[in-house]
Amino acid sequence: MKSKILIFSSFITLMALVAIQGYLVYNTYELKQKTMLIDARGIIAKVYNSPQIDSIAWLYRNDFSDNLRLYAKGATTKNELVDRLDTYCQQINPGFIEAFNKGLLEHTSHYGIKIQILANSITLTDSLGTVDSLYASTDSNLLLLGNSFDKSDGFLINNSTWQNEYDFEFENGERRLADLEFKTYVYMNISNGNNLIFREMTAILLLSAMLFLFVVGLLYYSIRNLLKQKRISEIKTDFINNITHELKTPLTTLSIGTKTLKVAQEKGDLNLIDESIEVIDRQNNRLQNLIDQVLKSSLGYNGIVLQKEEINASNFLNELLDDYSLTLNKEISLSRNIENTGVLMEVDSFYLGTAILNLLNNSIKYGGSELKVSYSLDLKEGNHKICIKDNGIGISEKYHKHIFDKFYRVGESYTHNYKGLGLGLYYTHQIVKAHQGSILLESQENEGATFIIKIPIKS
Ligand code: ADP
């Protein structure tokens, strides 16, 4: 529970850290964007207010004024008036763009600034207050001057209105006064902007990513260590419980044995004396075996000193199984499929025998009643292959990963039913490793288990 809370809080802290870091990076981005916009606006103001640009802007206004007079006289329609404005602007626009870009160059701007001046609305109000709407912007605005780009890709930097008073004079001498209101938008677009900002922020982004990876790595390492320590501590507790239990039974029997011996001695009952001595002897052996098992288990494969010899594996296995069969109860069957391969196996027969007997004993201990041992060559992989198969309780796949670990025993519910120290498979694995071999487990819960020992064929 404690470690779960610890892992959960570390995870939440990590998330919070990532969120804060993300927020800071985003803030930096926004700040840089703002600075860039202020910079760009300053540059545009300088270029836009230059006399050359101003005179170009007056070109279309003057032309529009001329056309407006024609319109007032009824010589053109409203649509023609706007079309002429559009056509005229298209004519002078290249000159405007050139002048604008030249102005930008003088300010060594590297932002890639573009501007566009769009018509917003054009109205003519006569002296009686009647408003004539000549143009009203729709979704697609009339581009007066500048580059064409989507409004949504730019920033609105100015809203300006050109106002002019007209005194229209007709041929019949009639005069008409009117006020023009010509509203425009100025948009700017910074094509290089994001690239520039990201380039400037590369160091921050890289550092953030590295820091994030470092913290995640650290957290992963710590959590892995924590879980490992927890597992070791659980295994140790299990081991102590198991060994205490294992020692208790022979010790209790020993104490009963010695008491019975005393009584038998007092009575002079020779039969009872013999029986008691046998019990004491058996329990003594059992204790000795237990202690041997613990002592042997301290040997890793490096500590196992092999006395290798070249043996005929089929002879070796047949002899081993013949002897083993003699110790088996009637309910247990042992079948074999031992090939006489004729290829010698270079092993320490005592150690390899111990490993195989460990597996056979486990097969019986864990519910097996039909044991099958087979031996053949795996020429593809270049191995001698010994399989020990049983029909016992099997091992669920989720336990396979740790099954050869020192002191490892499968699940709590099993430890109650089957006594042991969790050293047998560990020791077997170490013996096989000392032979440069490998051991595999194929098993499912309730479907028996097969252990496969592979020993390399001597080249
Ligand atoms: P022990 O038998 O003393 O517990 P082992 O190292 O021999 O220790 O075995 C480790 C665990 O592997 C056992 O606790 C048991 O759950 C499981 N096991 C080993 N061999 C078999 C088998 N043939 N069938 C089912 N389970 C097995």
Side-chain angles (χ1 to χ4, degrees):
M1 190 64 190
K2 234 185 192 171
S3 46
K4 266 189 192 155
I5 293 176
L6 210 74
I7 292 171
F8 182 71
S9 1
S10 314
F11 189 70
I12 296 289
T13 315
L14 180 71
M15 288 292 123
L17 262 173
V18 170
I20 292 173
Q21 209 173 20
Y23 175 74
L24 287 179
V25 169
Y26 183 69
N27 255 3
T28 316
Y29 169 78
E30 276 204 321
L31 208 74
K32 283 196 178 286
Q33 199 185 39
K34 269 186 196 149
T35 318
M36 184 182 71
L37 288 183
I38 293 171
D39 257 17
R41 266 169 181 246
I43 294 170
I44 288 176
K46 279 184 204 152
V47 178
Y48 193 65
N49 292 328
S50 69
Q52 203 186 356
I53 298 276
D54 204 37
S55 63
I56 296 176
W58 275 108
L59 282 179
Y60 81 81
R61 286 179 190 160
N62 291 338
D63 184 70
F64 184 73
S65 290
D66 293 345
N67 289 326
L68 197 62
R69 284 198 176 83
L70 292 176
Y71 169 72
K73 282 181 192 167
T76 56
T77 65
K78 217 184 270 186
N79 281 347
E80 278 169 346
L81 177 69
V82 176
D83 282 351
R84 281 185 192 174
L85 173 67
D86 188 16
T87 318
Y88 187 75
C89 283
Q90 281 182 29
Q91 279 171 22
I92 61 168
N93 200 17
F96 172 85
I97 295 177
E98 196 184 326
F100 184 79
N101 287 342
K102 218 163 117 192
L104 281 184
L105 279 181
E106 279 167 24
H107 291 90
T108 54
S109 158
H110 50 292
Y111 292 139
I113 301 172
K114 287 179 191 153
I115 65 162
Q116 62 180 201
I117 302 156
L118 304 174
N120 176 4
S121 69
I122 309 172
T123 55
L124 201 59
T125 314
D126 67 14
S127 50
L128 299 173
T130 317
V131 180
D132 184 7
S133 169
L134 304 178
Y135 172 81
S137 68
T138 51
D139 283 346
S140 58
N141 294 78
L142 171 63
L143 172 69
L144 299 171
L145 295 173
N147 303 89
S148 141
F149 55 82
D150 205 289
K151 260 194 318 189
S152 54
D153 294 336
F155 304 89
L156 179 65
I157 54 168
N158 202 0
N159 253 327
S160 65
T161 309
W162 164 46
Q163 283 175 323
N164 202 14
E165 221 177 58
Y166 290 90
D167 183 358
F168 299 120
E169 198 180 332
F170 298 95
E171 277 156 19
N172 57 6
E174 195 190 323
R175 302 175 76 99
R176 208 177 117 204
L177 290 175
D179 286 328
L180 171 77
E181 236 186 31
F182 195 131
K183 290 187 176 169
T184 52
Y185 294 128
V186 182
Y187 278 92
M188 92 175 158
N189 166 283
I190 305 181
S191 53
N192 241 349
N194 275 347
N195 276 352
L196 277 174
I197 294 178
F198 282 123
R199 216 174 299 154
E200 277 177 23
M201 288 180 63
T202 317
I204 290 186
L205 288 173
L206 270 179
L207 209 73
S208 301
M210 268 158 57
L211 221 69
F212 172 72
L213 287 180
F214 180 71
V215 174
V216 168
L218 213 67
L219 201 67
Y220 170 76
Y221 181 75
S222 312
I223 290 175
R224 216 184 57 167
N225 249 5
L226 183 87
L227 295 178
K228 204 165 148 190
Q229 292 300 332
K230 204 173 141 239
R231 214 174 71 78
I232 290 175
S233 128
E234 280 168 4
I235 284 174
K236 271 190 185 153
T237 318
D238 277 357
F239 173 70
I240 290 168
N241 289 344
N242 289 335
I243 196 144
T244 317
H245 183 92
E246 290 287 305
L247 289 175
K248 240 185 202 163
T249 324
L251 281 175
T252 319
T253 324
L254 262 179
S255 111
I256 295 170
T258 41
K259 271 181 202 152
T260 322
L261 186 62
K262 262 187 203 158
V263 175
Q265 255 177 345
E266 277 162 19
K267 281 187 190 166
D269 183 340
L270 283 180
N271 274 345
L272 198 58
I273 291 178
D274 280 352
E275 267 175 37
S276 308
I277 288 175
E278 255 174 49
V279 169
I280 293 171
D281 205 32
R282 266 204 308 274
Q283 297 312 318
N284 200 15
N285 275 343
R286 203 168 154 191
L287 277 176
Q288 191 62 51
N289 280 342
L290 271 173
I291 289 162
D292 278 355
Q293 221 185 343
V294 177
L295 284 181
K296 272 191 292 184
S297 80
S298 62
L299 289 182
Y301 66 97
N302 287 327
I304 299 175
V305 183
L306 298 179
Q307 286 180 348
K308 284 192 185 175
E309 53 192 325
E310 290 196 341
I311 59 166
N312 178 317
S314 54
N315 288 349
F316 159 73
L317 286 169
N318 278 323
E319 278 167 24
L320 188 82
L321 295 179
D322 285 345
D323 290 350
Y324 189 66
S325 301
L326 298 176
T327 66
L328 295 179
N329 290 337
K330 277 194 197 110
E331 310 88 64
I332 295 180
S333 72
L334 172 64
S335 62
R336 51 182 111 165
N337 181 9
I338 313 280
E339 271 181 39
N340 196 349
T341 60
V343 179
L344 294 178
M345 182 161 73
E346 197 185 27
V347 289
D348 182 317
S349 48
F350 170 74
Y351 276 111
L352 187 65
T354 310
I356 294 170
L357 291 178
N358 269 350
L359 295 178
L360 288 169
N361 285 335
N362 268 355
S363 288
I364 297 170
K365 183 164 155 191
Y366 295 103
S369 55
E370 287 170 23
L371 318 187
K372 286 181 187 155
V373 178
S374 65
Y375 163 71
S376 59
L377 287 183
D378 181 345
L379 289 174
K380 221 160 103 194
E381 288 184 14
N383 285 324
H384 296 270
K385 191 170 146 192
I386 303 165
C387 299
I388 290 113
K389 187 175 169 137
D390 66 57
N391 62 340
I393 58 171
I395 304 167
S396 164
E397 244 173 84
K398 63 181 172 205
Y399 301 121
H400 288 199
K401 199 170 147 207
H402 296 297
I403 202 77
F404 297 106
D405 289 359
K406 203 173 188 175
F407 301 132
Y408 186 80
R409 306 203 69 221
V410 169
E412 264 289 302
S413 54
Y414 289 97
T415 26
H416 290 304
N417 300 337
Y418 308 96
K419 299 298 157 221
L421 300 178
L423 291 171
L425 286 185
Y426 168 76
Y427 189 48
T428 304
H429 186 208
Q430 298 308 307
I431 291 174
V432 176
K433 257 170 107 178
H435 284 88
Q436 276 88 44
S438 59
I439 181 163
L440 292 178
L441 165 64
E442 283 174 5
S443 179
Q444 303 271 337
E445 200 170 346
N446 298 324
E447 286 182 19
T450 307
F451 286 90
I452 303 162
I453 295 178
K454 292 179 178 177
I455 306 280
I457 296 173
K458 198 188 164 208
S459 47

